[in-house]
Amino acid sequence: MMILLVWIIALLGFLKVAASLLRRGQERRDGAGLIPEVELKGVAEREMPNNTPQLKYDVFVSFRGEDIRHSFLSHLVKAFPRKQINAFVDDALTRGDDISHSLFEAIEGSPISLVIFSKNYASSHWCLDELVKIIECKEKYGQIVLPIFYGVKPTNVRHQKKSYENAFSKLEKMHNSSQVQIWRDALKISCNSSGITSSSFPNDAVLVEEITKVVLMRLSELKNSPVNSKELVGIDKPIADLNSLLKKESEQVRVIGIWGMGGIGKTTIAEEIFSQNRSDYDGCCFLEKVSERLKTPGGVGCLKESLLSELLKESVKELSGDIKRRISRMKVLIVLDDVKETDQLEMLFGTLDWFQSDSRIILTSRDKQVLRNNEVEDDDIYEVGVLDSSEALVLFNSNAFKQSHLEMEYYELSKSVVNYAKGIPLVLKVLAHMLRGKKKEVWESQLDKLRRLPVQKVYDAMRLSYDDLDRLEQKYFLDIACFFNGLDLKVDYMKHLLKDCDSDNYVAGGLETLKDKALITISEDNVISMHDILQEMGWEIVRQESSDLGKRSRLWNPDEIYDVLKNDKGTNAIRSISLPTMRELKLSRHVFDKMTNLRFLYFGGIEGFDCFPQGLQSFPLGIKYLHWTYCPLKSFPEKFSAKNLVILDLSDSLVEKLWCGVQQDLINLKEVRLSYSMLLKELPDFSKAINLKVLNISSCYQLKSVHPSILSLNRLEQLGLSWCPINALPSSFGCQRKLEILVLRYSDIEIIPSSIKNLTRLRKLDIRGCLKLVALPELPSSVETLLVKDSFSLKTVLFPSTVAEQFKENKKSVEFWNCENLDESSLINVGLNVQINLMKYANFGSDEAMYVYPGSSIPEWLEYKTTKDDMIIDLSQPRLSPLLGFVFCIVFPKCLLNFSKFILKITTIEGDNEKDGVDINLRSMPLDIYLDHVCMIQDQRCSGYLTRIAKNQTSFKIKVTAMSGFIKVKLKGFGMSPINQSTYQNLIQQMEYECA
């Protein structure tokens, strides 16, 4: 009964505390300068849910001022900053009758509350109200209460004895009994936490040291706790990667860079990494907006003064020898935010050799070269990426709506905003705050406006990087933003397209600057692209050039282009026109006469529509990029000059010939595409186009002949001659040493010269539909893809004569479909070549390879074969080396099914239950198959699936299902074989023996 009674009393006490707290309410307001305004930052910072406060301090200190303000507290307050502990100590406010709302917020915003119980603590109802709030936060949010018993015994506080008893006697006369009981209960609960008693220490200095040690320990435990987290969306990986860089061993001070475009979140990532790690250092300093502060009076001097003063926690005017000596004994963490100067570290520190080697300096910058120039190694530069779509939606949701979940009626609109922002946190937050609390029609209106005009705050933030560029770099940026973004052009092409004269050799350096400033992206295969928000910023810069459309340098808006072209408003200011779809409009034959500086033109026309009924008088002489789908012109104007042309694309056009006469200067020409120009009757002499890399004249059905010059261009990388009237390649064709792709589909080719073996860069050969081709010579080992189909005359296929040469091959896709007249020797050689390549790829872990040739049976060398759709795999026999994987074989029956979507599913079976399996998707299947075909497959996913099963089971049953679309296909056979190192080596030895 006694235990039950104690529980009832405790419960009543708790209910009283709760009731009091509910009466007080949870309204919050900013204190007079106590709580800093939270700025909008370009970071994925999620607002805390209603029941979780945002943290602002490390520790809240509750104390009775008259007891300890001028003694113990002064020492504690001085010690906290030295250990990088951000404490809220209310030592300035005038106390009134009620606890300040600012103090409420400070308590809620601190994961630890340090309650210093001194002799007269309980005599202040203000202190007791603070304590009630502290206990509320402990119960509600799991915050830590750390009691310090200074000059009093814990038992006297817990049970209100001695000075505490006297204090409560007075309180009972001034306040109602329920309120006094709440204070008593708060004291009891707080004393239940493990605390520190001053009498256990010889003096205040040792006591202060112990308190800071305990606080640091508890903060360290909270680093990854939700209570101590700002819940930054998508920040986990950046923080983990940067922590790894910080902790990497070094013999000297390490300088780490955080790099990325404007608004991407560099500053807040730096703030978070600083906050998490500052307690590990003797001195810390975070200098924000460094580039702005350098422009203010005093510049470097003021910046240096702030830095040194913050590190030493005292006023410092200059970096004297004594200051250097003192800091050199400290392990320091310094963050310089938004650095633009190439010698920033030298300006502030001179050299870094006087810092301790375990010190760390973090720089954030939009410019990677600035980081390099400030002693940051490339391996120590962390690039901040955009948020993925799910993270972006969470961030936008948390800022756009008051509640913690997205309002479903706004779901599609929210997705549209997220799609517009493309993962940039700044854009998401600005738009969220702009739309918060607005009706749906306002959202829709704002989204419509975004398509025409960027948000000013976003534009201003992004423009800073553009303003740092020089005149040439700004021109390159605008060319990419208004014309080239999305065209997937490589750096090599852009270097020729962007320069305005032969002497302009800075384009490569300019592109590198744009990349370093995070204004463009260059992929691993050297393709240039730009983020949509940066592109919009470029558009707005051009819009501001002039209100007269014809006097703007670049045009991309269809309505504006239509207006300029229809009304002959063009001027020499226009540099580029990009019109994805041309409307049905009639244009003057002089429409381009005034556009003397037009360099780039992209017209996506309408099939069968003639926009130049009177022809075209002239083209600008400086044109460098010309793409015109469904071009209605039969030929270019008489005065047309191709001197500056780099790319010419007239695919699907009505052109009959390109130009009259001979173009004497084609040295800049890199790419010509004329595919499906069905009226094209002749090709010009391309012998002067010595730098031509790509030529595609496929499906030009009326082309009567192919000018021999195209087969002698020794810098060609891609050549498309499908459906062309060509029956032979010259023996000199082997000089095309740079050729990578050769497409001869449905041509009249009869013989491919043996010199093709000299094309050591050739990766793809497509000779499908070459009905007259009789023999296929030995191909270079570089070939990865060989496609042959319906070559009914093909009899002979040659392969390398030695084992060593065959093992150098790189074929991953070899397909002989419907080649019914291949001789027996060729089929044997194909099968052997397949075995070699499959074994090799299985041994080296290639992801995927497929080989197809006419045949009706599973090759003998495969260990398991069946004509059914299931079989048992028994791996119980001991093997000389570990299992590397499996290769697979299927035999297709002849049929007329559409095999374009053929899927092979392999599953395991236990009893009567079929388990989940793996699909093998066979792409590029022909529409019809006239013969039985053997298909050999190396598929890493499927192989890995069975290999994992084989680790636990020496015998298992598998089932094979073949589907063509929704139709099940009955296979004529299925086979597979385990591959290990010994089978691979045995094959090599066997072949070497047979060849010998």
Side-chain angles (χ1 to χ4, degrees), residues 212 271 316 349 450 494 547 590 643 679 711 736 781 822:
T212 54
E271 287 176 338
V316 178
F349 311 121
L450 287 174
M494 295 298 290
S547 58
H590 301 286
K643 178 181 178 180
L679 300 181
L711 300 175
Q736 307 277 3
S781 60
L822 278 176

Side-chain angles (χ1 to χ4, degrees), residues 597-612:
N597 288 314
L598 185 66
R599 296 291 181 267
F600 316 120
L601 178 64
Y602 188 109
F603 275 169
I606 300 175
E607 187 174 6
F609 169 64
D610 186 0
C611 56
F612 289 100

Side-chain angles (χ1 to χ4, degrees), residues 52 79 169 213 219 243 267-268 291 395 449 540 578 700 702 706 710 771 844 867 936 940 989:
T52 307
S169 296
K213 179 180 176 182
L219 286 173
N243 273 325
T267 298
T268 306
S291 59
L395 173 62
K449 180 183 175 183
E540 182 59 20
S578 179
C700 297
Q702 293 197 35
V706 174
I710 70 169
L771 305 180
F844 293 109
T867 56
M936 303 289 296
Q940 195 63 29
Q989 293 171 7

Side-chain angles (χ1 to χ4, degrees), residues 45 52 63 92 119 126 135 142 183 247 260 277 298 313 320 538 585 684 697 789 807 828 923 935 953 982:
E45 186 174 324
T52 307
F63 63 96
K119 180 179 178 182
W126 182 293
I135 297 304
W183 290 332
K247 289 166 182 157
N277 289 276
K313 297 300 177 187
S320 63
L585 73 165
I697 52 175
K789 176 179 175 285
F807 274 97
I828 292 173
R923 299 178 298 276
C935 179
Q953 299 172 239
S982 58

Side-chain angles (χ1 to χ4, degrees), residues 519-539:
L519 290 171
I520 63 171
T521 299
I522 300 179
S523 66
E524 290 184 1
D525 55 349
N526 278 328
V527 171
I528 290 178
S529 61
M530 177 184 290
H531 194 282
D532 289 0
I533 299 297
L534 291 170
Q535 182 179 42
E536 287 195 0
M537 184 261 288
W539 290 348

Side-chain angles (χ1 to χ4, degrees), residues 136-358:
E136 174 206 351
C137 291
K138 170 183 167 66
E139 300 293 339
K140 191 173 182 180
Y141 308 127
Q143 293 179 355
I144 296 169
V145 177
L146 183 60
I148 308 296
F149 301 98
Y150 188 80
V152 295
K153 293 182 179 180
T155 185
N156 291 343
V157 178
R158 182 180 294 111
H159 300 296
Q160 291 96 58
K161 300 294 185 181
K162 294 197 173 182
S163 64
Y164 280 73
E165 183 177 9
N166 296 333
F168 270 92
S169 296
K170 295 178 181 177
L171 290 170
E172 286 174 339
K173 296 175 182 178
M174 301 169 60
H175 301 276
N176 62 58
S177 58
S178 60
Q179 179 63 62
V180 173
Q181 186 59 48
I182 289 172
W183 290 332
R184 289 184 185 276
D185 293 336
L187 281 170
K188 289 179 182 178
I189 294 171
S190 62
C191 289
N192 289 333
S193 301
S194 177
I196 298 172
T197 306
S198 63
S199 59
S200 302
F201 299 88
N203 53 54
D204 282 357
V206 179
L207 173 61
V208 166
E209 186 177 345
E210 177 64 17
I211 292 172
T212 54
K213 179 180 176 182
V214 171
V215 168
L216 285 174
M217 180 184 70
R218 301 308 296 268
L219 286 173
S220 177
E221 294 169 355
L222 287 170
K223 272 185 181 179
N224 298 316
S225 167
V227 173
N228 193 52
S229 171
K230 292 179 183 176
E231 294 196 50
L232 304 178
V233 180
I235 204 172
D236 291 345
K237 186 179 186 305
I239 292 300
D241 291 342
L242 284 164
N243 273 325
S244 177
L245 289 176
L246 277 177
K247 289 166 182 157
K248 198 183 291 184
E249 292 293 331
S250 176
E251 294 181 358
Q252 56 188 6
V253 59
R254 286 175 63 81
V255 187
I256 295 161
I258 302 177
W259 171 63
M261 64 186 290
I264 202 72
K266 302 181 295 296
T267 298
T268 306
I269 289 173
E271 287 176 338
E272 185 69 9
I273 202 75
F274 180 80
S275 175
Q276 288 192 14
N277 289 276
R278 64 184 183 180
S279 60
D280 297 333
Y281 293 82
D282 303 320
C284 295
C285 180
F286 190 109
L287 290 179
E288 59 183 7
K289 300 180 180 178
V290 168
S291 59
E292 285 186 26
R293 294 172 70 172
L294 282 174
K295 298 175 184 177
T296 60
V300 178
C302 291
L303 208 60
K304 191 181 296 186
E305 181 180 331
S306 297
L307 173 65
L308 299 175
S309 298
E310 186 65 24
L311 289 177
L312 294 174
K313 297 300 177 187
E314 61 184 63
S315 179
V316 178
K317 297 295 183 183
E318 59 182 23
L319 183 59
S320 63
D322 177 60
I323 295 299
K324 264 193 175 185
R325 178 182 56 78
R326 291 172 61 188
I327 292 179
S328 68
R329 295 174 180 174
M330 301 167 60
K331 174 185 176 183
V332 300
L333 174 64
I334 299 169
V335 176
L336 304 180
D337 179 47
D338 189 25
V339 174
K340 293 183 180 179
E341 300 297 326
T342 58
D343 56 351
Q344 185 68 71
L345 294 186
E346 185 177 348
M347 282 193 293
L348 289 174
F349 311 121
T351 62
L352 301 179
D353 54 7
W354 54 277
F355 282 109
Q356 276 196 21
S357 61
D358 51 1

Side-chain angles (χ1 to χ4, degrees), residues 826-861:
S826 293
L827 287 172
I828 292 173
N829 286 333
V830 169
L832 183 59
N833 189 255
V834 168
Q835 184 180 2
I836 291 171
N837 280 290
L838 275 176
M839 289 275 199
K840 180 175 67 177
Y841 289 134
N843 184 56
F844 293 109
S846 174
D847 288 337
E848 187 177 319
M850 186 177 86
Y851 309 84
V852 180
Y853 57 92
S856 301
S857 59
I858 304 293
E860 286 297 321
W861 62 273

